[in-house]
Amino acid sequence: MNRRDFIAACAGLSLTVKAGDGFAQSGPLTRIIFPFAAGGSGDSLCRILAQQITEPLDRNFIVEDRTGGDGLIAITAVKNSRPDGTTILVTTGPTMYLLPMVEAQPSFDTARDFVPVSLLARFEFCVVVGPAVDARDFKEFVGWLKAHPDKATFGVPSNGTIPHFTGSRLEQVLGIPLTRVAYRGTTPIINDMMGGHLPFAVTTVADVVAQHQAGGLRVLAVASVKRSPFLPDVPTLQENGIDLVADGWYGMWLPAGSPPEFAGKLSAAVAAAIAKPEIREKLWTIGLIPVGSTQQGLVQELAANTALWQPIVKATGYKINN
Protein backbone atom coordinates (compact mmCIF):
# COMPACT_ATOMS: atom_id res chain seq x y z
CA MET A 1 0.00 0.00 0.00
CA ASN A 2 1.43 3.40 -0.93
CA ARG A 3 1.35 6.46 1.32
CA ARG A 4 -1.63 8.10 -0.41
CA ASP A 5 -3.80 4.98 -0.14
CA PHE A 6 -2.72 4.44 3.46
CA ILE A 7 -3.70 7.96 4.53
CA ALA A 8 -7.03 7.64 2.75
CA ALA A 9 -7.66 4.44 4.67
CA CYS A 10 -6.72 6.13 7.95
CA ALA A 11 -9.10 9.01 7.28
CA GLY A 12 -11.93 6.55 6.89
CA LEU A 13 -11.24 4.59 10.04
CA SER A 14 -14.03 4.18 12.53
CA LEU A 15 -12.52 4.75 15.93
CA THR A 16 -15.47 3.69 18.03
CA VAL A 17 -13.85 0.63 19.54
CA LYS A 18 -15.42 -1.21 22.44
CA ALA A 19 -13.72 -0.44 25.73
CA GLY A 20 -14.41 -1.55 29.23
CA ASP A 21 -14.08 0.34 32.46
CA GLY A 22 -11.86 3.35 31.88
CA PHE A 23 -10.42 6.21 33.83
CA ALA A 24 -13.87 7.45 34.91
CA GLN A 25 -15.00 3.85 35.59
CA SER A 26 -17.45 3.92 32.70
CA GLY A 27 -15.38 3.46 29.56
CA PRO A 28 -15.16 7.21 28.81
CA LEU A 29 -15.08 8.52 25.28
CA THR A 30 -11.70 10.25 25.01
CA ARG A 31 -10.96 12.92 22.43
CA ILE A 32 -7.58 13.30 20.77
CA ILE A 33 -7.61 16.90 19.55
CA PHE A 34 -5.38 17.78 16.60
CA PRO A 35 -5.03 21.41 15.38
CA PHE A 36 -4.68 20.86 11.64
CA ALA A 37 -6.75 19.62 8.73
CA ALA A 38 -7.57 15.96 8.17
CA GLY A 39 -5.69 14.06 5.49
CA GLY A 40 -2.13 14.87 6.55
CA SER A 41 0.47 12.75 8.30
CA GLY A 42 -0.31 14.19 11.75
CA ASP A 43 -3.99 13.34 11.48
CA SER A 44 -3.07 9.82 10.35
CA LEU A 45 -0.67 9.48 13.29
CA CYS A 46 -3.50 10.35 15.69
CA ARG A 47 -5.80 7.74 14.17
CA ILE A 48 -3.16 5.02 14.22
CA LEU A 49 -2.41 5.66 17.89
CA ALA A 50 -6.10 5.91 18.80
CA GLN A 51 -6.63 2.36 17.61
CA GLN A 52 -3.50 1.06 19.29
CA ILE A 53 -4.08 2.47 22.78
CA THR A 54 -7.79 1.61 23.00
CA GLU A 55 -7.23 -1.88 24.38
CA PRO A 56 -4.40 -1.22 26.89
CA LEU A 57 -6.21 1.82 28.31
CA ASP A 58 -9.64 0.17 28.12
CA ARG A 59 -11.50 3.14 26.65
CA ASN A 60 -12.83 4.60 23.41
CA PHE A 61 -10.93 7.25 21.44
CA ILE A 62 -12.00 9.64 18.68
CA VAL A 63 -9.83 12.06 16.71
CA GLU A 64 -11.11 15.61 16.42
CA ASP A 65 -9.43 17.94 13.91
CA ARG A 66 -10.00 21.40 15.35
CA THR A 67 -8.35 23.87 13.00
CA GLY A 68 -7.90 27.62 13.18
CA GLY A 69 -6.00 30.26 15.09
CA ASP A 70 -2.64 28.87 13.95
CA GLY A 71 -3.18 25.96 16.34
CA LEU A 72 -4.40 28.09 19.25
CA ILE A 73 -8.04 26.99 19.02
CA ALA A 74 -7.13 23.35 19.64
CA ILE A 75 -4.46 24.14 22.22
CA THR A 76 -6.78 26.44 24.17
CA ALA A 77 -9.58 23.88 24.05
CA VAL A 78 -7.35 21.26 25.68
CA LYS A 79 -5.88 23.75 28.15
CA ASN A 80 -9.39 24.69 29.33
CA SER A 81 -10.76 21.14 29.38
CA ARG A 82 -11.37 19.16 32.55
CA PRO A 83 -8.19 17.31 33.58
CA ASP A 84 -10.00 14.00 33.84
CA GLY A 85 -8.15 12.08 31.14
CA THR A 86 -10.84 12.48 28.47
CA THR A 87 -9.12 15.20 26.41
CA ILE A 88 -5.67 14.76 24.85
CA LEU A 89 -3.68 17.14 22.67
CA VAL A 90 -1.51 15.95 19.80
CA THR A 91 0.23 18.73 17.92
CA THR A 92 3.54 19.71 16.41
CA GLY A 93 6.28 20.55 18.85
CA PRO A 94 6.84 23.96 17.24
CA THR A 95 3.30 25.09 18.04
CA MET A 96 4.04 24.48 21.71
CA TYR A 97 7.29 26.45 21.85
CA LEU A 98 6.89 29.00 19.04
CA LEU A 99 3.40 30.32 19.75
CA PRO A 100 4.31 31.55 23.26
CA MET A 101 7.24 33.39 21.64
CA VAL A 102 5.19 35.19 19.00
CA GLU A 103 2.02 36.12 20.87
CA ALA A 104 2.10 39.65 22.26
CA GLN A 105 0.29 38.25 25.29
CA PRO A 106 0.92 34.48 25.43
CA SER A 107 -2.27 32.45 25.68
CA PHE A 108 -0.53 29.56 27.35
CA ASP A 109 2.64 28.39 29.02
CA THR A 110 3.48 24.86 27.94
CA ALA A 111 5.20 23.89 31.20
CA ARG A 112 2.48 25.42 33.38
CA ASP A 113 -0.66 24.51 31.43
CA PHE A 114 0.11 21.01 30.14
CA VAL A 115 1.36 17.64 31.29
CA PRO A 116 3.88 16.05 28.88
CA VAL A 117 3.10 12.55 27.65
CA SER A 118 5.41 11.57 24.78
CA LEU A 119 7.42 12.75 21.79
CA LEU A 120 5.66 10.64 19.17
CA ALA A 121 7.53 11.00 15.89
CA ARG A 122 9.86 13.30 13.98
CA PHE A 123 9.39 14.82 10.55
CA GLU A 124 11.34 16.99 8.14
CA PHE A 125 10.62 20.26 6.35
CA CYS A 126 11.23 21.07 2.71
CA VAL A 127 10.85 23.58 -0.09
CA VAL A 128 8.38 22.20 -2.63
CA VAL A 129 7.11 23.68 -5.89
CA GLY A 130 4.02 23.07 -7.97
CA PRO A 131 3.51 22.97 -11.75
CA ALA A 132 3.37 26.79 -11.83
CA VAL A 133 7.14 26.89 -11.23
CA ASP A 134 9.47 25.94 -14.08
CA ALA A 135 12.45 24.70 -12.06
CA ARG A 136 14.06 21.28 -11.79
CA ASP A 137 16.38 22.06 -8.87
CA PHE A 138 16.92 24.68 -6.19
CA LYS A 139 19.35 26.75 -8.27
CA GLU A 140 16.83 27.02 -11.10
CA PHE A 141 14.15 27.85 -8.53
CA VAL A 142 16.15 30.82 -7.24
CA GLY A 143 16.51 31.99 -10.84
CA TRP A 144 12.75 31.64 -11.33
CA LEU A 145 12.07 33.73 -8.21
CA LYS A 146 14.35 36.51 -9.47
CA ALA A 147 12.69 36.43 -12.89
CA HIS A 148 9.14 36.41 -11.47
CA PRO A 149 9.12 38.62 -8.35
CA ASP A 150 5.37 39.18 -8.74
CA LYS A 151 4.79 35.43 -8.33
CA ALA A 152 7.13 34.86 -5.38
CA THR A 153 4.36 33.63 -3.08
CA PHE A 154 4.67 30.64 -0.79
CA GLY A 155 2.29 28.76 1.47
CA VAL A 156 2.81 27.60 5.06
CA PRO A 157 0.54 25.36 7.18
CA SER A 158 -0.03 28.27 9.59
CA ASN A 159 1.61 31.43 10.89
CA GLY A 160 4.15 31.41 13.69
CA THR A 161 5.51 28.01 12.66
CA ILE A 162 8.85 26.56 11.57
CA PRO A 163 7.82 26.81 7.87
CA HIS A 164 6.93 30.47 8.48
CA PHE A 165 10.34 31.30 9.95
CA THR A 166 12.15 29.07 7.46
CA GLY A 167 10.54 31.14 4.70
CA SER A 168 11.61 34.34 6.46
CA ARG A 169 15.17 33.05 6.65
CA LEU A 170 15.13 32.13 2.94
CA GLU A 171 13.92 35.62 2.09
CA GLN A 172 16.77 37.11 4.10
CA VAL A 173 19.49 34.88 2.65
CA LEU A 174 18.32 35.08 -0.97
CA GLY A 175 17.58 38.80 -0.83
CA ILE A 176 14.30 38.23 -2.66
CA PRO A 177 10.99 39.57 -1.26
CA LEU A 178 8.62 36.66 -0.63
CA THR A 179 4.90 36.81 0.11
CA ARG A 180 3.70 34.33 2.74
CA VAL A 181 0.19 32.85 2.74
CA ALA A 182 -0.92 30.96 5.85
CA TYR A 183 -3.27 27.99 5.43
CA ARG A 184 -5.04 25.69 7.88
CA GLY A 185 -2.78 22.70 7.47
CA THR A 186 -0.94 21.16 4.53
CA THR A 187 -3.81 19.56 2.61
CA PRO A 188 -5.18 22.86 1.20
CA ILE A 189 -1.62 23.91 0.33
CA ILE A 190 -1.17 20.76 -1.76
CA ASN A 191 -4.51 21.34 -3.47
CA ASP A 192 -3.60 24.91 -4.41
CA MET A 193 -0.14 23.94 -5.67
CA MET A 194 -1.50 21.04 -7.70
CA GLY A 195 -4.10 23.39 -9.18
CA GLY A 196 -1.47 25.94 -10.17
CA HIS A 197 -2.79 28.59 -7.76
CA LEU A 198 0.22 28.57 -5.41
CA PRO A 199 3.81 28.53 -6.76
CA PHE A 200 5.61 26.94 -3.82
CA ALA A 201 5.49 26.09 -0.14
CA VAL A 202 7.60 25.38 2.89
CA THR A 203 6.03 22.38 4.57
CA THR A 204 6.70 18.85 5.77
CA VAL A 205 8.32 16.15 3.67
CA ALA A 206 5.79 13.68 5.06
CA ASP A 207 2.85 15.52 3.52
CA VAL A 208 4.27 15.96 0.01
CA VAL A 209 6.48 12.92 -0.57
CA ALA A 210 3.73 10.99 -2.39
CA GLN A 211 3.01 13.89 -4.75
CA HIS A 212 6.74 14.34 -5.36
CA GLN A 213 7.17 10.68 -6.22
CA ALA A 214 4.11 10.80 -8.50
CA GLY A 215 5.46 13.86 -10.30
CA GLY A 216 2.69 16.29 -9.37
CA LEU A 217 4.93 18.34 -7.08
CA ARG A 218 8.70 18.70 -6.87
CA VAL A 219 10.64 18.83 -3.60
CA LEU A 220 13.75 20.88 -4.37
CA ALA A 221 15.48 20.91 -0.98
CA VAL A 222 15.05 19.56 2.54
CA ALA A 223 15.81 21.60 5.65
CA SER A 224 17.35 18.78 7.70
CA VAL A 225 21.01 18.27 8.62
CA LYS A 226 21.29 15.40 6.17
CA ARG A 227 19.22 14.15 3.27
CA SER A 228 15.84 12.70 4.08
CA PRO A 229 15.59 8.89 4.14
CA PHE A 230 12.30 9.37 2.26
CA LEU A 231 13.89 11.49 -0.50
CA PRO A 232 17.57 10.50 -0.65
CA ASP A 233 18.06 12.13 -4.06
CA VAL A 234 16.92 15.57 -2.86
CA PRO A 235 19.76 17.77 -1.51
CA THR A 236 19.58 19.76 1.71
CA LEU A 237 19.38 23.54 1.91
CA GLN A 238 22.93 23.51 3.24
CA GLU A 239 24.08 21.67 0.12
CA ASN A 240 22.52 24.54 -1.82
CA GLY A 241 24.46 27.14 0.15
CA ILE A 242 21.66 28.07 2.58
CA ASP A 243 22.85 27.92 6.19
CA LEU A 244 19.58 26.74 7.68
CA VAL A 245 18.50 23.58 9.49
CA ALA A 246 14.92 23.06 10.68
CA ASP A 247 13.14 19.93 11.78
CA GLY A 248 9.91 19.11 13.55
CA TRP A 249 8.11 16.55 15.63
CA TYR A 250 4.72 15.59 17.02
CA GLY A 251 4.08 15.44 20.75
CA MET A 252 1.25 14.49 23.06
CA TRP A 253 0.07 16.43 26.11
CA LEU A 254 -2.70 16.39 28.72
CA PRO A 255 -4.18 19.47 30.42
CA ALA A 256 -2.48 20.57 33.65
CA GLY A 257 -3.87 18.86 36.71
CA SER A 258 -4.33 15.50 35.00
CA PRO A 259 -3.58 12.62 37.40
CA PRO A 260 0.10 11.58 37.17
CA GLU A 261 -0.88 7.91 37.23
CA PHE A 262 -3.01 8.27 34.10
CA ALA A 263 -0.35 10.38 32.35
CA GLY A 264 2.20 7.65 33.06
CA LYS A 265 -0.10 4.90 31.77
CA LEU A 266 -0.87 6.89 28.62
CA SER A 267 2.83 7.54 28.00
CA ALA A 268 3.66 3.85 28.42
CA ALA A 269 0.80 2.76 26.14
CA VAL A 270 1.89 5.18 23.41
CA ALA A 271 5.54 4.12 23.66
CA ALA A 272 4.56 0.44 23.51
CA ALA A 273 2.39 1.07 20.45
CA ILE A 274 5.13 2.95 18.58
CA ALA A 275 7.66 0.24 19.44
CA LYS A 276 5.65 -2.36 17.50
CA PRO A 277 7.34 -3.18 14.17
CA GLU A 278 4.07 -2.99 12.23
CA ILE A 279 3.28 0.45 13.66
CA ARG A 280 6.77 1.72 12.96
CA GLU A 281 6.33 0.54 9.39
CA LYS A 282 3.02 2.41 9.11
CA LEU A 283 4.62 5.60 10.39
CA TRP A 284 7.49 5.27 7.92
CA THR A 285 4.88 4.79 5.19
CA ILE A 286 3.39 8.23 5.92
CA GLY A 287 6.79 9.91 6.14
CA LEU A 288 7.26 9.97 9.90
CA ILE A 289 10.29 8.83 11.89
CA PRO A 290 8.98 6.90 14.94
CA VAL A 291 10.14 7.88 18.44
CA GLY A 292 7.73 7.18 21.33
CA SER A 293 9.67 8.85 24.15
CA THR A 294 9.15 9.01 27.88
CA GLN A 295 7.51 12.02 29.49
CA GLN A 296 10.94 13.41 30.40
CA GLY A 297 12.13 12.92 26.85
CA LEU A 298 9.40 15.27 25.66
CA VAL A 299 10.34 17.86 28.28
CA GLN A 300 13.99 17.78 27.18
CA GLU A 301 13.13 18.09 23.49
CA LEU A 302 10.89 21.07 24.15
CA ALA A 303 13.60 22.83 26.17
CA ALA A 304 16.27 22.27 23.51
CA ASN A 305 14.07 23.60 20.71
CA THR A 306 13.01 26.62 22.74
CA ALA A 307 16.65 27.58 23.27
CA LEU A 308 17.44 27.10 19.57
CA TRP A 309 14.58 29.09 18.05
CA GLN A 310 14.08 31.90 20.55
CA PRO A 311 16.86 34.16 19.17
CA ILE A 312 15.84 33.42 15.57
CA VAL A 313 12.20 34.32 16.18
CA LYS A 314 13.15 37.41 18.18
CA ALA A 315 15.30 38.66 15.30
CA THR A 316 12.29 38.64 12.94
CA GLY A 317 10.24 40.87 15.23
CA TYR A 318 7.12 38.86 14.36
CA LYS A 319 4.27 39.09 16.86
CA ILE A 320 0.63 38.04 16.94
CA ASN A 321 -1.56 40.76 18.44
CA ASN A 322 -4.04 38.70 20.39
Side-chain angles (χ1 to χ4, degrees), residues 226-251:
K226 56 185 179 181
R227 295 192 179 196
S228 169
F230 305 106
L231 297 171
D233 295 332
V234 176
T236 66
L237 284 173
Q238 288 186 323
E239 288 180 85
N240 282 288
I242 307 296
D243 186 18
L244 175 64
V245 173
D247 59 9
W249 43 273
Y250 288 109

Side-chain angles (χ1 to χ4, degrees), residues 23-85:
F23 176 69
Q25 300 181 346
S26 60
L29 182 64
T30 300
R31 297 177 302 158
I32 298 177
I33 295 183
F34 183 68
F36 304 110
S41 58
D43 174 76
S44 297
L45 169 66
C46 291
R47 297 177 190 278
I48 292 168
L49 290 178
Q51 282 198 323
Q52 290 297 311
I53 62 179
T54 290
E55 184 175 348
L57 294 177
D58 205 18
R59 61 174 60 204
N60 301 315
F61 290 87
I62 60 170
V63 176
E64 182 178 322
D65 298 306
R66 191 174 295 191
T67 64
D70 300 322
L72 279 172
I73 290 177
I75 292 170
T76 302
V78 176
K79 171 191 168 184
N80 295 333
S81 66
R82 294 176 59 184
D84 59 2

